[in-house]
Amino acid sequence: MTIALTLWGPDDLAVLERSNTPAMTRHLGGPETDAQVRERQARYLRLNTSGEAQMYRIDLDGVAVGGIGFWRIDHDGEPSYETGWGVETAYQGRGIAREALRQIIGLARARGDRRLLVAYPGADNPASNALCRGAGFVRGRTFTEPWRGGELTVTAWALDLTSPSGV
């Protein structure tokens, strides 16, 4: 089983469309509209081009099965990177997200310009919270914030990129 990250490209809209299901988005407030998915695709391409983010397609043995990336944010007053991921339902439970996150940690570390990599999985998402814990992130506070016209309760996790620990 080979898991590779490929820089997000113009032909990757189908990855977002396949992931825009009730099962895949239940911890994110539900599916986006088709227009929102197309805007997400355009945003990924724009952010990659500007250098504000690095968004990747997750490939399993050459087949696109999800996406992962990191982008600039401010976390508790400190310039940081945030990461987020999604692996299609049929491919979950195989360690794909864990390996993709390990690779993203390496890529963020290699940039060397931010100390923290943070993630904000839904507080009710046991798999993503366990992934953060297993990757060496330190659990922070749980809070509710506005999200897609509603509210989302998340748990903050942070990984010190200057430390050799982590997946």
Side-chain angles (χ1 to χ4, degrees):
M1 176 168 86
T2 302
I3 298 163
L5 302 186
T6 303
L7 196 61
W8 200 268
D11 296 329
D12 291 328
L13 175 61
V15 177
L16 294 178
E17 291 171 335
R18 287 194 309 270
S19 295
N20 193 41
T21 66
M24 284 288 298
T25 61
R26 72 181 176 274
H27 300 291
L28 297 170
E32 295 177 298
T33 66
D34 289 342
Q36 288 170 318
V37 171
R38 287 190 304 276
E39 169 49 34
R40 178 182 295 276
Q41 167 73 1
R43 185 171 58 249
Y44 284 6
L45 297 173
R46 185 175 62 250
L47 292 173
N48 274 356
T49 299
S50 72
E52 294 176 61
Q54 286 187 245
M55 303 305 295
Y56 295 89
R57 186 182 69 231
I58 302 171
D59 294 330
L60 170 64
D61 297 328
V63 175
V65 299
I68 192 168
F70 63 94
W71 51 94
R72 296 176 186 165
I73 65 156
D74 181 84
H75 175 76
D76 293 338
E78 181 173 352
S80 304
Y81 286 118
E82 180 180 350
T83 187
W85 55 84
V87 173
E88 293 176 26
T89 307
Y91 297 95
Q92 292 176 5
R94 300 183 193 183
I96 296 167
R98 183 177 195 277
E99 173 58 21
L101 182 56
R102 185 194 67 75
Q103 291 181 35
I104 279 294
I105 290 168
L107 290 167
R109 236 183 218 132
R111 286 189 99 167
D113 61 346
R114 310 243 167 170
R115 186 179 70 84
L116 293 179
L117 179 65
V118 299
Y120 301 101
D124 64 346
N125 186 337
S128 287
N129 282 284
L131 182 61
C132 289
R133 185 180 310 104
F137 285 68
V138 175
R139 185 183 175 147
R141 65 188 175 93
T142 296
F143 58 95
T144 301
E145 64 182 2
W147 178 254
R148 295 187 190 164
E151 291 185 331
L152 185 64
T153 301
V154 299
T155 300
W157 293 86
L159 178 75
D160 185 343
L161 293 170
T162 64
S163 169
S165 65
V167 190

